[in-house]
Each structure stands twice: as structure tokens, then as C-alpha cells.
Amino acid sequence: MKALDQTLALAWRSLVQVRRNPWELGDYSIQPILFLVLFLYVFGGAVAGSTEAYLPFVLPGVIAMNMLFVTVYVGHGLNTDLTRGVFDRFRALPIPRWAPLAGRILADLLKQALCIALLLIVGVLLGFRVETSVWEVLAMVALVLVFASAASWIMVLVGVLSRDPEHVQLFGFTALFPVTFVSTAFVPLDTMPTVLQPFVQANPVSLLADASRALLSGGDALEPALWTLVWAAAIAVIFAPLSVWALNRRLARG
């Protein structure tokens, strides 16, 4: 229980830091709304024939994309703490080494939940209607947050290994753009070149977007949701211990 309390305290510390950096809220709220509006009104007619037909397709895709982009801020914030010596102070405290990492990821999940709620509200204002039950909507939110918590460990490792916060953003967004756009987040699978389709089908962003789409608008959500959870488990098993090991190694070097 003590470790849990310490993790919650460090998560709260990450949340209140937003007061000193209010622009971060814009990245969490305004940016995904702009992406949704731009994709809808620029590509909607070309991809689906109309914005009305494209909205149920693109909204889950924007939610999946934004979930990945927000994880970059986990690595950015962690690297900022490392370069400013905040983690050296943590070492002097009687807390588990993993507590600062888990606290930052927990704070990130709360921000992710806010982003999902905002995007759903804007989607409804633009004409989107949920075709499923409340439980399926909650399952969609839970699925996105579970995958976000796993994906955050990748950016934790990037944050530990990078020299400064600018390198975290550079590497993070450079890696995420192809993974996000070579997926079914914004266009159907059958519109892509045949050579790309096996990669797109196995891409966790495609699986998450497809599962979210089915949980909001109806359809078979079980298979893509299960594969999304498999990806999340694999990412967490690989990157969580690597991140803790890399953090201990960096702190030991001083």
C-alpha cells in the first residue's frame, strides 16, 4: 500500500505541473480536435464520399493516433526530470525505483481519458452517434487506456536513453508517424497497396482503431480487441523491465 500511495503522490505531482505549462493542455485537447476536423473535412469526401459517412470511421482513428502521440510527453517529461536532476532527489527518498515511472504513466492515463472524452463530445457535436451500449463505450475507453499504458513504456525507455527532451520528441514522433499512418486509422485496408496490407493488418494501431470502431458503431470487436491486448502485453513485458534497467544504469552513471 505504501508503494501505491507513493505512486499516486508522484502521479499528482505530474498533474499539477500542468499549471506551470498550460500549453501542454493545448497539446492534449486542442491538437486532437484540430486533427479530427481537418481529417474529416479535407479527406472525408475523397475517402468515404461524404463527411457524414467518414466521421464514424475517422473518429476512432484519431483517438488511436492521439493516444500514441500523447505517450511522447511521458518520455519528454521523464527526460526533463532526469536532465534537471529531479531523479537524483528521488534516489534519496525511501521509494521504489519504479514509482516515479509508474506515477508519470498514471498521470498520463488520466490525461488520455480527458482527451478521449473531449474527442467523443466533439464527435457528437459534429454529428457522430454511438450505435452501441454504454458498456461497449466504456470497454473502448478501457482498451485505449490499457494500450496507452503499455505504449508509454516505450517512450519511458526513449526518455531515459535520450540526451535531452528535444531528442525525445524528435525520435518519438519520427517513429510514431509511419506506424500511425500506415494503418487503418484513417483509410480502409483495401485502398492500400497489396504489399503493405499484411503489415497494416498486423499493426497494433490498426487493431486498436478497428476494435474502437466496432465498440462505438457496432461490428465484430472481439478479435481486434484480443489482438490489441496481446500487443499491449508483449510491449509491457519487453519495455517495462528494459526501462527500469536503463533508468538504474543511467542513475548509477550519475
Side-chain angles (χ1 to χ4, degrees):
M1 287 301 292
K2 186 181 290 186
L4 178 61
D5 291 341
Q6 292 162 348
T7 300
L8 292 175
L10 291 166
W12 176 249
R13 170 185 172 271
S14 296
L15 289 173
V16 298
Q17 283 180 331
V18 175
R19 289 184 303 182
R20 292 196 292 272
N21 185 21
W23 290 107
E24 188 180 339
L25 280 179
D27 293 335
Y28 282 98
S29 55
I30 298 173
Q31 182 173 287
I33 293 172
L34 283 176
F35 272 120
L36 175 61
V37 173
L38 286 172
F39 276 110
L40 179 64
Y41 290 105
V42 174
F43 301 118
V47 174
S50 69
T51 56
E52 291 79 10
Y54 190 51
L55 182 56
F57 188 91
V58 74
L59 179 59
V62 173
I63 289 174
M65 178 194 72
N66 191 61
M67 176 275 299
L68 281 177
F69 284 5
V70 168
T71 60
V72 175
Y73 294 103
V74 178
H76 184 276
L78 175 63
N79 188 276
T80 302
D81 283 347
L82 284 167
T83 52
R84 290 180 179 176
V86 176
F87 267 78
D88 291 330
R89 300 177 193 173
F90 287 153
R91 293 173 67 186
L93 298 176
I95 60 175
R97 288 288 176 87
W98 51 265
L101 305 180
R104 185 164 289 280
I105 291 175
L106 180 59
D108 174 66
L109 290 181
L110 294 174
K111 295 170 186 174
Q112 294 268 14
L114 172 66
C115 291
I116 295 171
L118 276 175
L119 282 170
L120 288 176
I121 291 171
V122 172
V124 169
L125 293 175
L126 292 173
F128 176 75
R129 295 294 177 267
V130 175
E131 303 291 340
T132 55
S133 67
V134 173
W135 296 112
E136 286 168 295
V137 175
L138 293 177
M140 184 277 294
V141 174
L143 184 66
V144 173
L145 293 182
V146 167
F147 191 82
S149 65
S152 294
W153 283 109
I154 300 176
M155 289 304 153
V156 166
L157 182 60
V158 173
V160 173
L161 296 178
S162 298
R163 284 183 303 173
D164 52 56
E166 287 72 24
H167 281 86
V168 177
Q169 287 191 309
L170 177 64
F171 181 82
F173 286 119
T174 301
L176 289 180
F177 267 107
V179 175
T180 304
F181 284 90
V182 186
S183 73
T184 58
F186 307 112
V187 295
L189 177 67
D190 55 12
T191 63
M192 298 186 190
T194 306
V195 68
L196 276 181
Q197 291 188 9
F199 172 76
V200 174
Q201 283 179 304
N203 186 341
V205 180
S206 296
L207 295 165
L208 179 61
D210 292 344
S212 301
R213 210 168 275 135
L215 289 168
L216 289 175
S217 301
D220 180 20
L222 183 60
E223 184 177 351
L226 287 176
W227 279 113
T228 301
L229 293 175
V230 169
W231 266 106
I235 290 170
V237 166
I238 294 171
F239 286 95
L242 273 177
S243 300
V244 175
W245 172 79
L247 177 64
N248 289 336
R249 193 164 178 265
R250 177 164 177 166
L251 292 176
R253 286 203 311 264

